[in-house]
Amino acid sequence: MRIDVITLFPELVQSVAQSGVTAKAAESGLLELHYWNPRDYTNDKHRTVDDRPYGGGPGMVMKYEPLQQALVAAKAQNPKARSVYLSPQGKPLQQSMLQAASDAGGLLLLAGRYEGIDQRVIDEHVDEEWSLGDYVISGGELAAMVVIDGITRLLPGALGHQESAQQDSFSNVEKWLDCPHYTRPEVINNHSNELKVPEVLLQGNHQAIEEWRRQQMLGNTWLKRPDLLDKTTLKESDRALLDDFINEYNNNNKT
Ligand code: 9WO
């Protein structure tokens, strides 16, 4: 998959493909990243990419012309790509949006800086606006890197066998949260406290383990993200697992 990124800081975005799964994908050609710097599409001596906002106020706004030219140049090489502007005004990012993007022909990410970009760039050249959440960072680059990472690990062949098999059972992110994980040692002595691994995980009863994990996923979701459960009707066996979890939780937290 080819992803084009329009940014004043290509070296910052590049670092996403320098370690881990994304580095492997870039080395193998599964992921192809291309950068377009609006500064290379300026004509003045100072290579100006920003200017003062009409209407006054603090800060600077990225100018239309260099962004437009960078976008046109990128689109010429990646014509099927949808263009996405990363900003707090965007649609909240969900796993399904990453999945759709990884299935699609290409992607063109636009990372802004300063107080934002000239609205006419968005109106004329941007297909979608995505947000990571309700907070402001210094620019769209880190958000673009999150998107690149999230898409890359969904590309067929990006994860190893073990990882992708494991990923299967947790491709449910929008439905519910993950269960807890443990590895050796079996007991950790934290001062006078013995921190043990849940017994069921040690006994090798795979059906019991699956059931425990599913119950923990449902229970975790009920505790931490009840909004995710409001969106679905649980099948009968899941309802029973969650009811047991809730009863146990209430028994342990009686006042
Ligand atoms: C800066 C600013 C300063 C004073 C008052 C209001 C302000 N808003 C902004 C602002 O939103 N700046 C953005 C910086 C302009 C677009 C690129 N930047 C950005 C993207 N910050 N945060 C994101 C982002 C992207 C995706 N998901 C979450 C946040």
Side-chain angles (χ1 to χ4, degrees), residues 30-206:
L30 199 58
L31 171 68
E32 206 185 307
L33 288 171
H34 294 266
Y35 304 95
W36 306 86
N37 192 333
R39 211 172 285 287
D40 297 334
Y41 298 89
T42 54
N43 302 309
D44 62 314
K45 186 173 103 200
H46 296 106
R47 309 182 79 201
T48 310
V49 291
D50 61 329
D51 205 342
R52 301 194 323 266
Y54 278 120
M60 300 294 267
V61 175
M62 287 182 80
K63 290 167 70 63
Y64 178 89
E65 190 67 19
L67 281 174
Q68 185 267 149
Q69 287 200 32
L71 276 154
V72 166
K75 281 181 181 176
Q77 290 195 15
N78 197 357
K80 281 192 219 141
R82 292 192 70 71
S83 59
V84 174
Y85 177 51
L86 288 318
S87 94
Q89 285 74 47
K91 178 176 169 184
L93 186 62
Q94 293 220 318
Q95 189 67 23
S96 55
M97 293 153 73
L98 295 176
Q99 186 66 63
S102 91
D103 296 337
L107 192 64
L108 173 49
L109 297 174
L110 173 52
R113 280 272 155 175
Y114 313 113
E115 264 51 56
I117 69 180
D118 192 299
Q119 182 61 34
R120 291 166 291 187
V121 176
I122 301 173
D123 294 343
E124 293 300 313
H125 304 286
V126 167
D127 298 318
E128 294 178 47
E129 207 169 340
W130 291 357
S131 168
L132 297 189
D134 295 334
Y135 48 81
V136 177
I137 48 183
S138 313
E141 283 80 8
L142 287 167
M145 291 160 76
V146 167
V147 168
I148 291 165
D149 183 282
I151 288 174
T152 302
R153 57 189 302 290
L154 294 174
L155 296 173
L159 299 182
H161 261 314
Q162 261 191 314
E163 291 168 296
S164 60
Q166 193 189 349
Q167 206 236 327
D168 257 348
S169 52
F170 301 124
S171 56
N172 270 320
V173 221
E174 274 159 345
K175 265 178 137 178
W176 37 65
L177 306 182
D178 203 358
C179 62
H181 304 285
Y182 299 89
T183 187
R184 291 188 290 182
E186 201 176 308
V187 181
I188 295 170
N189 287 305
N190 191 286
H191 305 291
S192 55
N193 231 341
E194 280 206 326
L195 309 178
K196 293 183 190 158
V197 174
E199 198 57 38
V200 61
L201 299 178
L202 305 172
Q203 283 168 348
N205 179 341
H206 294 294

